[in-house]
Amino acid sequence: MSHRDTIIIRSSTEHDSAALTRLAALDSAHPVHGGALVAEVDGTMRAALPLDGGRAIADPFAETAHLVELLRTHAAALDAAPARATTHRRPALATA
């Protein structure tokens, strides 16, 4: 990796199942089921961390140790964040 690479940490979606399956196969691991945080480098998924406490999976052919650490740090921050109360805002009334 270089300092020019773009790293994105995000929650997985239903559209990630193929990429998660591929990543698990590369890592000789079971596929991630349920929610996960994923790390993408320049648009390619390189690592994933299940939110249920399972083992991280990563591409063994790429530098990923730092990505797994970023995922763990992000997951810990999410766990430590206070639950946000949802607020419902009324739509603004149009004035004539």
Side-chain angles (χ1 to χ4, degrees):
M1 283 190 57
S2 75
H3 67 280
R4 294 181 189 159
D5 294 331
T6 300
I7 299 171
I8 295 175
I9 304 294
R10 64 175 178 79
S11 296
S12 63
T13 69
E14 65 274 0
H15 303 291
D16 292 319
S17 62
L20 287 167
T21 299
R22 178 191 146 286
L23 192 61
L26 285 173
D27 196 17
S28 300
H30 294 289
V32 173
H33 297 290
L37 290 176
V38 299
E40 293 180 345
V41 177
D42 290 335
T44 301
M45 190 181 296
R46 298 284 187 203
L49 179 68
L51 293 176
D52 66 2
R55 176 176 92 74
I57 59 174
D59 182 343
F61 302 106
E63 296 176 30
T64 56
H66 64 292
L67 297 174
V68 171
E69 188 59 34
L70 283 172
L71 292 171
R72 288 186 177 132
T73 300
H74 193 78
L78 290 175
D79 286 342
R84 292 184 186 178
T86 57
T87 58
H88 298 284
R89 294 184 183 176
R90 288 194 274 177
L93 297 175
T95 57

